[in-house]
Amino acid sequence: MPRYKRLVDNIFPEDPEDGLVKANMEKLTFYALSAPEKLDRIGAYLSERLSRDVARHRYGYVCIAMEALDQLLMACHCQSINLFVESFLKMVRKLLESDKPNLQILGTNSFVKFANIEEDTASYHRSYDFFVSRFSEMCHSSYEDPDIRTKIRMAGIKGLQGVVRKTVNDELQANIWDPQHMDKIVPSLLFNLQSGERTESRSPSPLQASEKEKESPMELTERCFRELLGRAAYGNIKNAVTPVLMHLDNHSLWEGKSFAVRCFKIIMYSIQSQHSHLVIQQLLGHLDANSKNSATVRAGIVEVLLEAAAIAASGSVGPTVLEVFNTLLRQLRLSVDYELTGTYDGNTNIGTKIIKAHEERQLQEAVIRTIGSFANTLPTYQRSEVMLFIMGKIPVPGVHPALTSTGSGPEGTRMIQIMLLKSLVQVTAGFQTTNMLTALPSSFLEPLLSFSLTEDPEVRLLVLQILLSLIDRHDNRPKFANISISDISMLKLKVDKCSRQDNLFMKKHGQQLYRHIYLGCKEQSSGRQHYESLFALLGLLSVELANEEVVVDLIRLALALQDLALSTDEGLPVYTRCAVHALAAAYLNLICQLTTVPAFCQHIHEVIEVRQKNTPYLLPEDVFVDNPKLASSLEKVEGDVLFLQSKITEVLGGSGYNTERLATPYVPQYTDEDRLSKRKSIGETISLQVEVESRNSPEKEERTPAEEITFETLKNAIVDSVGMEEQERERRRQVVEKFQKAPFEEIAAHCGARASMLQSKLNQIFEITIRPPPSPSGTISSGYGQSQSRSVPIYEMKFPDLCVY
């Protein structure tokens, strides 16, 4: 018998209970190290003995053989270990195929020890397919005894961890990231992660679980899952995440939300941060793929996206920023359509699922929350882009018909408007920027302000909330939440010096803002919340963006609101008139304290005191309450209960304010911007070309005779500039109307007349310029008595000095 066989035989005692004969094991190890070429024969012989013992159920000797194999593996790190490993893996496989739990666990433990050995040379021919399948099967063990079941499952998890460790860094191995392997490994881990969640309340802390025995399958699984994801390179992320999505689909785990969220939190925190956007993209794609699934499933995916996007944003989100918002807005639109049409495919088939409106509403809220949460993690410049992006998606009837909802009609359009504005409320919450001009371009502000002119009170309220978020940069907004006549020192306002950019912003957009506040007060459908928001907007403009000129304009605006409430022409209801009076009083009380001009404050307080005694229904404390106390009529609102423009102009003029501007009553500029309530089609937009043509048209010249200039006309030109503006607007309106309503022949004739006039002018100019130069030799008379220019050669012509170079 060869020496190596004798040495192998000697390590086995007569009684397996005695265990491995250590002295003889040392001799065998020394022999194997001295003659490494014999290592593969030692392995083959040990393997042969072990197979025989397994067949004869001599499990004591099986354990001793595995222990010997383990020790030889640990000791012999040489180039010839490859062939020995084949024998070793053959034996592990034999044990794993056994139906005895103890042998399975023994085989797994040996495999894990082997997996932790770093081999010097790569193996070309080794296959781990069997081990992936067998360990995955052990992870799903349903053994009757719960303790043994837990041990088998833990062995399976450790085995999978070993396979991953062994193969992930070895380029010559079968690729563990292939879907055929991932589709077994990932669901096995998720199964244990989930079953652990069901059976145990919460795992003990790492300090308590210092011993391996105390570690639960769930903790071990989580560690293994994190390790697997942490090793995933850029190209492997998709293969690792796809089985997770499939598992959550197959076992209806989106609805519960908590497990799906937990899975993706593990994924997002375990992968390398620069790969985060790949996971987000997969989730977005999965959301689109499930767009006809039930609302609870979609809401679950959106909830997961919310958590994942928040984590990803701290790393690299890459090109997916607008993609996230695009997908979410598309889901919002689909949800609105589903809710209103009641089907997923627009036609009612017998097989269509019943759509529950309240579930769709929950989904819509989840989408809006996700949009806000994701936007809050973005830097200011990206948030501005997102705001513009969402604004571009809001359907405007008659202007962006392509953006209107497909199957749900006007109600769908209105709902989408509200949903997208709610999304903007979320995106703009906490938005802070030093330069308002760049962060809020006209392309965003103008459409936003035009929405404040719609008849829908909910839309107007949302627009006001967005404006408040954008203007409030020092958290002053909560201090203006209630309209009251209060002492400003109690509010503890944070007032910063107005920057140059702020001044430019107000120069550009101030008039628009004043106009929208004025028109918002005038709306009869405005309620208490609207007036509270308008008061907050006035307050924030005063503390955030006000220079001296803006303060003057705001005071004029407040006085114009008082005039609006007094006017009977508008036919405003009593509540609206009282509310506007109260709003103007509360605001003048605020602004007079901000300007700190004692005489101004005195006048305002005197009026407020008279109101408190005689007309409390003109003050906020009686109007902006649950049961407002209103007057039966407002015919006798006059005298001491009114704020006087002349008085305010006088007292502020003494403190250096612009008296001329203060004395001019504020009149809102009516522009073409109110397209939502007035405009019917995009054709009504005034084109510059029409405007220019109207200015130069011959009809215009004939229509307006030369005006005689007198002292009276000069006076009117100075004082009545408003009337001139009215006339100019009326003239523009007539031109637009003419080009819209006149028959084609008339417009063509008009253009033809202008063309012939232009041609005659050109002929005159050409005649002047092309006429031959005067001849130095004079003119010669033709036979018909006409003078005829005689052509003179150029070289004979006398040019003035200045014409010669």
Side-chain angles (χ1 to χ4, degrees):
M1 183 185 283
R3 188 177 174 208
Y4 73 88
K5 284 192 178 180
R6 282 202 309 277
L7 287 170
V8 169
D9 288 341
N10 289 345
I11 65 172
F12 290 95
E14 286 190 17
D15 182 3
E17 296 292 323
D18 296 343
L20 188 68
V21 180
K22 287 184 180 170
N24 292 341
M25 186 64 217
E26 283 170 12
K27 288 179 188 173
L28 177 63
T29 307
F30 181 73
Y31 176 75
L33 288 168
S34 309
E37 70 279 359
K38 293 280 195 288
L39 193 58
D40 56 323
R41 294 182 196 177
I42 294 169
Y45 184 58
L46 258 173
S47 166
E48 188 187 315
R49 279 203 60 147
L50 193 138
S51 299
R52 197 166 60 234
D53 290 335
V54 168
R56 293 173 182 175
H57 306 293
R58 292 160 65 177
Y59 299 126
Y61 285 126
V62 171
C63 294
I64 290 167
M66 280 317 292
E67 195 179 335
L69 278 166
D70 288 349
Q71 286 195 24
L72 283 170
L73 255 181
M74 305 303 262
C76 306
H77 286 193
C78 58
Q79 288 189 348
S80 55
I81 198 173
N82 252 332
L83 294 171
F84 175 68
V85 168
E86 288 305 313
S87 305
F88 170 76
L89 289 178
K90 190 175 164 190
M91 282 327 303
V92 171
R93 185 170 180 159
K94 190 90 179 164
L95 294 179
L96 291 175
E97 284 171 343
S98 157
D99 56 356
K100 297 282 182 205
N102 290 347
L103 292 187
Q104 292 174 16
I105 292 163
L106 179 71
T108 305
N109 291 342
S110 290
F111 183 83
V112 170
K113 285 176 192 167
F114 158 68
N116 290 329
I117 295 173
E118 287 188 23
E119 295 180 58
D120 297 338
T121 52
S123 167
Y124 292 86
H125 53 277
R126 209 178 292 159
S127 168
Y128 292 100
D129 292 11
F130 165 78
F131 293 102
V132 171
S133 302
R134 185 68 186 126
F135 289 136
S136 297
E137 201 180 317
M138 286 166 70
C139 286
H140 289 88
S141 170
S142 54
Y143 201 83
E144 290 166 13
D145 185 328
D147 290 340
I148 295 176
R149 182 169 68 228
T150 301
K151 283 179 182 172
I152 294 174
R153 285 185 181 181
M154 287 185 76
I157 296 161
K158 285 176 185 169
L160 287 176
Q161 193 175 24
V163 174
V164 170
R165 281 180 185 169
K166 200 70 192 158
T167 56
V168 80
N169 293 326
D170 191 344
E171 291 175 8
L172 299 171
Q173 291 299 344
N175 189 357
I176 199 71
W177 300 106
D178 282 349
Q180 58 176 355
H181 299 312
M182 280 289 119
D183 289 350
K184 292 173 188 167
I185 294 172
V186 173
S188 304
L189 296 176
L190 294 179
F191 171 75
N192 281 284
L193 207 56
Q194 189 192 350
S195 60
E197 201 172 58
R198 280 201 299 265
T199 54
E200 299 173 36
S201 56
R202 189 70 197 103
S203 56
S205 69
L207 293 170
Q208 293 170 320
S210 54
E211 299 171 40
K212 288 285 174 195
E213 288 74 32
K214 285 187 182 175
E215 192 173 43
S216 70
M218 188 172 72
E219 286 176 301
L220 181 63
T221 305
E222 191 171 322
R223 267 197 306 115
C224 181
F225 194 32
R226 286 182 186 281
E227 188 179 328
L228 174 72
L229 294 161
R231 292 170 183 268
Y234 183 87
N236 304 328
I237 294 285
K238 189 177 178 187
N239 287 354
V241 175
T242 303
V244 178
L245 297 171
M246 286 171 63
H247 182 82
L248 295 171
D249 281 348
N250 296 339
H251 298 276
S252 306
L253 294 171
W254 292 111
E255 285 97 325
K257 294 177 194 172
S258 56
F259 180 69
V261 167
R262 183 156 172 260
C263 282
F264 274 90
K265 276 189 171 176
I266 292 172
I267 292 170
M268 296 308 289
Y269 282 121
S270 303
I271 60 173
Q272 296 165 45
S273 60
Q274 68 268 28
H275 301 158
S276 300
H277 66 278
L278 294 173
V279 181
I280 301 291
Q281 276 175 326
Q282 270 190 275
L283 275 168
L284 291 170
H286 199 65
L287 182 58
D288 276 343
N290 281 279
S291 57
K292 289 194 177 178
N293 214 323
S294 71
T296 47
V297 169
R298 281 176 285 140
I301 301 173
V302 167
E303 205 77 34
V304 169
L305 197 57
L306 167 69
E307 298 288 343
I311 297 166
S314 57
S316 154
V317 184
T320 53
V321 174
L322 290 181
E323 194 185 330
V324 170
F325 290 102
N326 202 20
T327 303
L328 290 171
L329 295 178
R330 187 164 59 246
Q331 289 300 322
L332 207 51
R333 174 157 303 158
L334 282 172
S335 178
V336 168
D337 282 350
Y338 294 160
E339 185 187 336
L340 292 172
T341 57
T343 64
Y344 287 122
D345 47 11
N347 51 19
T348 49
N349 297 331
I350 299 166
T352 52
K353 298 173 188 170
I354 296 166
I355 290 174
K356 294 175 183 167
H358 71 277
E359 287 180 357
E360 291 294 343
R361 285 287 163 93
Q362 286 169 355
L363 166 68
Q364 290 156 18
E365 284 166 20
V367 171
I368 290 168
R369 267 203 317 278
T370 304
I371 287 172
S373 171
F374 188 49
N376 288 339
T377 60
L378 298 175
T380 304
Y381 74 94
Q382 272 190 326
R383 220 197 282 200
S384 297
E385 279 178 28
V386 169
M387 283 154 50
L388 267 170
F389 180 71
I390 297 175
M391 181 55 77
K393 295 275 181 187
I394 302 179
V396 181
V399 180
H400 299 308
L403 293 176
T404 52
S405 179
T406 47
S408 46
E411 179 57 20
T413 302
R414 180 189 162 274
M415 276 181 71
I416 289 168
Q417 280 180 351
I418 288 169
M419 295 293 167
L420 295 183
L421 286 169
K422 279 183 178 174
S423 304
L424 272 176
V425 169
Q426 293 281 342
V427 172
T428 52
F431 179 80
Q432 292 191 338
T433 175
T434 46
N435 191 343
M436 298 277 285
L437 268 175
T438 51
L440 301 174
S442 302
S443 50
F444 176 78
L445 259 187
E446 284 174 9
L448 177 69
L449 289 173
S450 66
F451 277 106
S452 70
L453 300 167
T454 54
E455 291 170 11
D456 192 321
E458 193 176 353
V459 170
R460 292 205 309 274
L461 192 58
L462 289 169
V463 170
L464 284 170
Q465 286 175 1
I466 294 164
L467 279 173
L468 292 174
S469 295
L470 297 173
I471 293 170
D472 181 24
R473 291 170 294 172
H474 297 91
D475 298 321
N476 286 320
R477 183 178 170 183
K479 295 161 190 175
F480 296 119
N482 298 315
I483 311 181
S484 61
I485 305 293
S486 56
D487 183 354
I488 194 172
S489 59
M490 304 289 285
L491 296 177
K492 295 179 180 169
L493 296 167
K494 293 177 194 165
V495 184
D496 226 353
K497 192 168 182 292
C498 204
S499 68
R500 181 173 168 274
Q501 284 96 342
D502 291 346
N503 290 337
L504 287 171
F505 177 80
M506 285 309 283
K507 248 187 178 59
K508 188 172 183 183
H509 297 294
Q511 291 303 325
Q512 286 173 295
L513 290 167
Y514 307 146
R515 172 171 178 265
H516 286 276
I517 293 169
Y518 184 88
L519 295 176
C521 289
K522 202 171 161 182
E523 287 287 350
Q524 297 187 21
S525 57
S526 291
R528 179 180 167 183
Q529 282 182 298
H530 292 84
Y531 289 110
E532 284 173 348
S533 299
L534 287 163
F535 175 70
L537 182 55
L538 283 164
L540 287 174
L541 285 174
S542 309
V543 294
E544 294 279 354
L545 298 166
N547 54 22
E548 192 175 302
E549 191 180 324
V550 172
V551 168
V552 168
D553 280 339
L554 288 167
I555 293 169
R556 288 171 61 222
L557 174 60
L559 292 166
L561 289 175
Q562 178 178 266
D563 292 342
L564 170 69
L566 289 169
S567 164
T568 51
D569 302 341
E570 299 285 350
L572 298 176
V574 172
Y575 174 77
T576 305
R577 290 171 69 184
C578 287
V580 174
H581 271 301
L583 176 69
Y587 179 66
L588 285 169
N589 173 63
L590 173 76
I591 196 78
C592 76
Q593 293 177 69
L594 283 169
T595 53
T596 62
V597 176
F600 182 26
C601 293
Q602 188 183 345
H603 171 63
I604 302 299
H605 291 148
E606 279 171 4
V607 174
I608 288 170
E609 279 171 26
V610 174
R611 286 191 181 188
Q612 283 166 343
K613 284 180 196 166
N614 304 331
T615 55
Y617 50 81
L618 300 182
L619 291 174
E621 285 77 4
D622 272 27
V623 179
F624 302 115
V625 288
D626 293 335
N627 298 309
K629 300 165 188 167
L630 305 176
S632 54
S633 76
L634 294 174
E635 286 173 15
K636 297 191 177 173
V637 177
E638 54 194 10
D640 294 345
V641 296
L642 295 179
F643 303 100
L644 302 175
Q645 184 141 4
S646 55
K647 178 78 175 166
I648 292 171
T649 305
E650 183 189 321
V651 294
L652 286 176
S655 298
Y657 285 84
N658 183 337
T659 49
E660 191 182 330
R661 196 169 173 77
L662 274 164
T664 312
Y666 170 77
V667 177
Q669 298 174 351
Y670 286 90
T671 66
D672 307 304
E673 199 186 22
D674 37 11
R675 60 186 181 194
L676 295 182
S677 49
K678 313 284 190 303
R679 192 181 288 171
K680 296 293 180 288
S681 75
I682 200 161
E684 292 189 30
T685 314
I686 295 179
S687 84
L688 186 63
Q689 186 183 352
V690 171
E691 207 174 306
V692 171
E693 282 189 13
S694 70
R695 225 166 256 177
N696 303 330
S697 67
E699 286 91 341
K700 163 81 167 52
E701 289 163 25
E702 290 160 21
R703 202 166 47 240
T704 51
E707 191 177 359
E708 190 184 345
I709 296 171
T710 61
F711 170 74
E712 203 61 33
T713 52
L714 286 171
K715 183 181 169 189
N716 289 343
I718 295 165
V719 177
D720 195 19
S721 59
V722 176
M724 294 293 285
E725 284 174 12
E726 291 280 343
Q727 286 175 14
E728 177 67 13
R729 272 196 292 276
E730 178 61 24
R731 186 184 64 71
R732 285 186 185 188
R733 194 188 61 72
Q734 285 172 358
V735 172
V736 172
E737 201 172 306
K738 177 184 170 185
F739 272 83
Q740 278 186 331
K741 295 181 180 174
F744 175 73
E745 291 76 13
E746 191 181 318
I747 296 171
H750 166 67
C751 294
R754 295 202 62 245
S756 60
M757 189 185 83
L758 176 66
Q759 190 59 51
S760 66
K761 291 279 182 199
L762 284 171
N763 289 341
Q764 285 176 27
I765 294 162
F766 290 148
E767 201 178 320
I768 294 164
T769 53
I770 301 171
R771 186 183 296 156
S775 167
S777 54
T779 58
I780 52 170
S781 297
S782 69
Y784 298 101
Q786 295 170 332
S787 66
Q788 187 183 335
S789 299
R790 192 182 68 184
S791 62
V792 178
I794 297 262
Y795 53 83
E796 284 185 13
M797 287 171 63
K798 299 284 187 290
F799 289 100
D801 292 344
L802 289 174
C803 291
V804 181
Y805 287 93

